[in-house]
Amino acid sequence: MLTKATQKLVRSLDTRKGRRKEGLFVAEGPKLVGELLGHFDCVRLVATEAWTMAYDGIVPVDVVTEEELQRISLQQTPQHVLALFRIPDDEGSMAEVARDQLCIALDGVQDPGNLGTIVRLADWFGIHDIWCSQGTADIWNPKAVQASMGGLARVRVHYVDLVSQLQALPVAVPLYGTSLRGQSLWQAQLAPSGIVVMGNEGNGVSAEVDALCRQRLLIPNYPAGLPTTESLNVAMATGIVLAEFRRQQLMTQ
């Protein structure tokens, strides 16, 4: 049975303030919920009867009708099951991780859908840590969680003072920034570890962060010199950049 308290709780998690207060986030849909169940502490499942058996015994399940699920769903089209998970503690050191692995840093990415898609891309390309400025969208936003398509099960997202974290990186750790003033991505020599900074959708990497980057990268349009769109979507650009990093890494193995 769906109580008013449960409805109120789920609705509160549509806001960042509510998520911080409760320490919870929402995921919806059998595939996404199934991906996250083994990686996050699930405190409640709400599902239609047809889907209840799949989660029987994992955590208590509130069995509801399609109409009841529609009332609490944060998606336009409910997907049979909704789960509430605890937001994990934010752990990890950028300097330690970036010595041995390739990581992403996000400087003011605003759109939750872009953020979730970047997590999905990171998962595809074997990136395990994303470091976000405090001005970056909240990864626990329902839109970001849905867009990650389960990537949050394998990709850790950290919120930090990005400038101070980048300043603390050892000199030996490669630090790349995407920039219209950068070297062509196709001509640059890329390391298999370090930090790649992706910037805000409209303004790119901030001046303060850009000043710390040791190598700047540009995705050139083709053919060069012809009129084209002003810029690429930040998630699309992230996918192109990560693909080139991994291509070069494979070529040197």
Side-chain angles (χ1 to χ4, degrees):
M1 179 179 176
L2 188 62
T3 66
K4 289 184 178 180
T6 299
Q7 295 181 54
K8 183 178 179 181
L9 174 60
V10 173
R11 287 295 175 189
S12 74
L13 302 181
D14 200 23
T15 68
R16 193 166 193 164
K17 180 180 179 181
R19 293 188 293 274
R20 287 180 173 177
K21 178 183 177 182
E22 302 294 340
L24 302 172
F25 72 95
V26 179
E28 299 191 48
K31 188 175 188 306
L32 178 59
V33 171
E35 284 264 20
L36 300 183
L37 273 174
H39 300 271
F40 295 92
D41 180 16
C42 182
V43 300
R44 176 160 298 181
L45 281 169
V46 180
T48 58
E49 188 171 4
W51 294 88
T52 301
M53 293 301 294
Y55 305 103
D56 186 35
I58 299 174
V59 293
V61 182
D62 294 332
V63 182
V64 297
T65 64
E66 291 282 359
E67 291 74 20
E68 288 176 313
L69 190 61
Q70 175 74 55
R71 287 205 298 271
I72 66 167
S73 174
L74 302 181
Q75 304 298 313
Q76 288 187 341
T77 305
Q79 301 179 53
H80 307 293
V81 59
L82 177 152
L84 304 185
F85 293 99
R86 293 197 190 280
I87 295 174
D89 293 333
D90 192 352
E91 299 177 347
S93 164
M94 178 189 285
E96 291 180 5
V97 174
R99 284 193 187 98
D100 304 313
Q101 301 177 33
L102 186 64
C103 304
I104 301 171
L106 300 180
D107 184 17
V109 171
Q110 294 293 295
D111 184 80
N114 282 337
L115 176 57
T117 301
I118 289 171
V119 170
R120 183 179 181 181
L121 286 163
D123 187 31
W124 184 262
F125 286 108
I127 306 295
H128 303 300
D129 291 89
I130 297 176
W131 306 87
C132 299
S133 68
Q134 296 295 342
T136 294
D138 182 16
I139 187 54
W140 309 114
N141 181 304
K143 292 180 181 179
V145 173
Q146 295 300 125
S148 76
M149 295 296 289
L152 282 168
R154 291 163 293 275
V155 179
R156 296 176 292 269
V157 180
H158 314 270
Y159 287 84
V160 297
D161 181 329
L162 191 57
V163 171
S164 63
Q165 288 284 327
L166 295 176
Q167 287 174 333
L169 284 177
V171 176
V173 175
L175 176 52
Y176 304 91
T178 48
S179 170
L180 294 176
R181 300 179 290 106
Q183 179 185 14
S184 169
L185 181 65
W186 319 133
Q187 297 172 355
Q189 290 189 333
L190 307 174
S193 61
I195 299 284
V196 183
V197 182
M198 307 300 298
N200 173 270
E201 288 90 341
N203 302 315
V205 176
S206 65
E208 197 172 10
V209 170
D210 179 70
L212 299 172
C213 294
R214 296 162 189 156
Q215 187 171 353
R216 295 175 181 83
L217 303 173
L218 165 71
I219 302 173
N221 68 303
Y222 183 88
L226 287 186
T228 185
T229 53
E230 182 180 0
S231 62
L232 293 173
N233 169 276
V234 64
M236 183 184 298
T238 300
I240 294 170
V241 169
L242 293 181
E244 180 61 14
F245 267 87
R246 292 314 195 200
R247 187 193 70 82
Q248 290 197 20
Q249 186 176 354
L250 286 172
M251 293 292 289
T252 58
Q253 288 180 352

